[in-house]
Amino acid sequence: MDPRAVVTERMAAFEPVRVERPDLARAAVTITLVPDPDPAPAGSAALGTDPLLDGLALLLTRRAPTLRRHANQWALPGGRLDPGETEIVAARRELDEELGLRLDDDAVLGVLDDYPTRSGYLITPVVLWGGPARDLSPNPAEVGSVHRVALRQIDVDPLFLTIPESDAPVIQVPMLGRFVHAPTGAVLHQFREVVLHGRPTRVAHLEQPVFAWR
């Protein structure tokens, strides 16, 4: 079965939760699916739980070290909505501005739940089909580096921590040799649950670490 059709079907079966928070600035991030540059061979123990999706990766960035906020952190391409924009339009624009990848409307496969952040944003994750994405040109003012992360690398169980500053659990996704926290970690976890496992798992209640509250 075609991997794009699988993702499209599973996203269509998911009912995203929209949040009304006029006190927060609207933003969008992208989960952009591209070919895995180093796919696991057939029969390998490295293959994920869903063989239909093996061979796919997503685009993940490290934020530029010169940024005033959240420098060097792992992030999904995205940013704040411009006046009059929808979340989907903003997601596609930000992907083009950050990585030089321009996609049409038909690349949109669906959206995940809105995620309110401690730093004042309401994020809508938009799932996009990126195609080959051969000639990426990261914007050095925003992006320190760009990585193609195989979907099997995000198919891991997260850790949940308690902190004295919040009653909500802090999510940590073990990947890339470290822990990826919310909001990126929460979005990746929901994508894993919805697309790789067909589970309508909610993540808006999951907490960010205190260092990301600013």
Side-chain angles (χ1 to χ4, degrees):
M1 191 172 182
D2 175 43
R4 179 171 181 167
V6 174
V7 179
T8 301
E9 179 181 343
R10 292 179 183 176
M11 289 300 303
F14 177 68
E15 294 285 344
V17 173
R18 302 272 70 86
V19 176
E20 290 297 327
R21 286 286 303 273
D23 57 313
L24 300 178
R26 300 285 324 195
V29 298
T30 67
I31 297 178
T32 304
L33 301 177
V34 297
D36 181 357
D38 187 25
S44 167
L47 287 175
T49 58
D50 189 341
L52 295 176
L53 296 184
D54 285 316
L56 285 182
L58 58 84
L59 297 179
L60 192 67
T61 69
R62 289 292 295 270
R63 288 169 58 85
T66 54
L67 290 172
R68 185 171 56 87
R69 301 176 70 186
H70 309 303
N72 289 314
Q73 291 185 12
W74 291 106
L76 294 162
R80 191 167 179 163
L81 272 63
D82 284 346
E85 279 189 324
T86 65
E87 291 80 10
I88 288 174
V89 169
R92 290 170 46 227
R93 173 183 56 76
E94 287 284 345
L95 183 65
D96 185 18
E97 291 177 0
E98 289 190 25
L99 300 182
L101 181 57
R102 183 169 298 180
L103 300 176
D104 296 329
D105 284 337
D106 62 2
V108 179
L109 305 183
V111 300
L112 296 173
D113 288 351
D114 288 345
Y115 183 89
T117 76
R118 288 282 191 170
S119 55
Y121 293 93
L122 184 61
I123 296 174
T124 300
V126 180
V127 181
L128 300 171
W129 187 260
R134 293 189 183 94
D135 300 314
L136 299 178
S137 53
N139 180 350
E142 299 185 65
V143 179
S145 58
V146 59
H147 306 263
R148 297 177 186 241
V149 178
L151 295 193
R152 63 180 178 273
Q153 290 185 258
I154 71 168
D155 191 17
V156 293
D157 291 332
L159 303 178
F160 299 100
L161 307 180
T162 58
I163 57 174
E165 294 86 355
S166 175
D167 293 332
V170 173
I171 183 172
Q172 292 184 326
V173 179
M175 56 184 287
L176 304 172
R178 58 170 293 169
F179 292 111
V180 178
H181 298 88
T184 299
V187 172
L188 291 178
H189 177 58
Q190 185 173 56
F191 177 82
R192 175 238 188 178
E193 291 288 284
V194 170
V195 172
L196 298 186
H197 296 284
R199 299 189 289 245
T201 302
R202 305 301 177 184
V203 297
H205 65 288
L206 296 176
E207 184 63 271
Q208 301 170 247
V210 175
F211 68 77
W213 290 17
R214 300 180 296 277

